[in-house]
Amino acid sequence: MEKKVMSKQELLEKREDLLNIYHGVQRKSARKPLLTKKERKVLGIGKDEGRASVRNVRVAPRKVSIVSDLIRGKGLDEALAILTYTPKAASPIFLKLLKSAESNAVNNNDLTRDHLYVAEVQVGQGPTLKRFRARGKGSASRINKRTSNIAVVLKEKA
């Protein structure tokens, strides 16, 4: 079952219907197929935000989520100030991510820096590194070194 590839003209004609389908709430069982990269570009989806993500960061997701809760929903300058003075291991990672998302929003999508705020912060668990430490009587215990996947989305205030 192949998906029909629509031309640019067809996409522009059906723009309203496609946007309603894309942004509408759908049940998981009746979910419509995702749009291709070309279709998203023609319809202008994702042009109102700046995204940045990092994978396999060697900080546990539990510790990263504490920092993510501090900046979620804040303005860009306020979030950068909070991260600068937060003594957590994830703070420098978030600083770098926010600066990257900011430059993506400003350079790629022509958004105004002063109106940006942290719309979404997603923290997920990455692969776990399993290590062993020697214990008494010739036994060993396992140590899980957890990693995180982090994504930040900046949007413009209306």
Side-chain angles (χ1 to χ4, degrees), residues 26-32:
Q26 300 163 356
R27 291 191 327 261
K28 199 170 188 178
S29 61
R31 188 170 287 166
K32 302 289 183 201

Side-chain angles (χ1 to χ4, degrees), residues 5 9 20 36 39 48 70 85 94 105 114 122 138:
V5 179
Q9 188 65 30
N20 289 336
T36 63
E39 292 169 343
D48 60 339
L70 291 174
Y85 297 107
F94 270 108
D114 298 333
Q122 296 174 344

Side-chain angles (χ1 to χ4, degrees), residues 6-122:
M6 289 189 264
S7 68
K8 188 173 183 179
Q9 188 65 30
E10 288 175 312
L11 285 171
L12 292 174
E13 289 171 4
K14 299 179 182 179
R15 182 167 201 254
E16 293 300 320
D17 297 332
L18 289 172
L19 287 176
N20 289 336
I21 290 171
Y22 186 80
H23 291 300
V25 178
Q26 300 163 356
R27 291 191 327 261
K28 199 170 188 178
S29 61
R31 188 170 287 166
K32 302 289 183 201
L34 295 176
L35 299 175
T36 63
K37 189 174 180 180
K38 175 188 169 188
E39 292 169 343
R40 283 195 313 259
K41 185 175 180 181
V42 170
L43 296 173
I45 295 172
K47 284 292 184 183
D48 60 339
E49 64 186 25
R51 267 182 198 275
S53 64
V54 64
R55 296 173 57 93
N56 305 339
V57 178
R58 270 289 293 119
V59 181
R62 200 170 142 182
K63 297 177 181 181
V64 174
S65 62
I66 293 170
V67 179
S68 72
D69 292 340
L70 291 174
I71 63 168
R72 190 176 282 121
K74 302 277 195 295
L76 181 63
D77 291 328
E78 187 180 353
L80 290 172
I82 289 170
L83 290 173
T84 304
Y85 297 107
T86 303
K88 295 280 186 184
S91 294
I93 297 162
F94 270 108
L95 267 172
K96 196 170 180 181
L97 261 179
L98 275 181
K99 289 178 182 175
S100 176
E102 172 198 350
S103 65
N104 288 339
V106 172
N107 295 329
N108 299 345
N109 298 336
D110 299 325
L111 301 179
T112 310
R113 186 198 182 282
D114 298 333
H115 300 299
L116 292 177
Y117 74 101
V118 182
E120 293 177 32
V121 181
Q122 296 174 344

Side-chain angles (χ1 to χ4, degrees), residues 110-151:
D110 299 325
L111 301 179
T112 310
R113 186 198 182 282
D114 298 333
H115 300 299
L116 292 177
Y117 74 101
V118 182
E120 293 177 32
V121 181
Q122 296 174 344
V123 177
Q125 186 168 349
T128 302
L129 305 174
K130 292 160 179 91
R131 302 292 181 257
F132 290 94
R133 169 155 294 164
R135 292 296 182 199
K137 298 183 182 177
S139 65
S141 63
R142 186 153 87 176
I143 296 173
N144 292 326
K145 296 183 180 249
R146 302 187 188 279
T147 62
S148 305
N149 298 332
I150 309 168

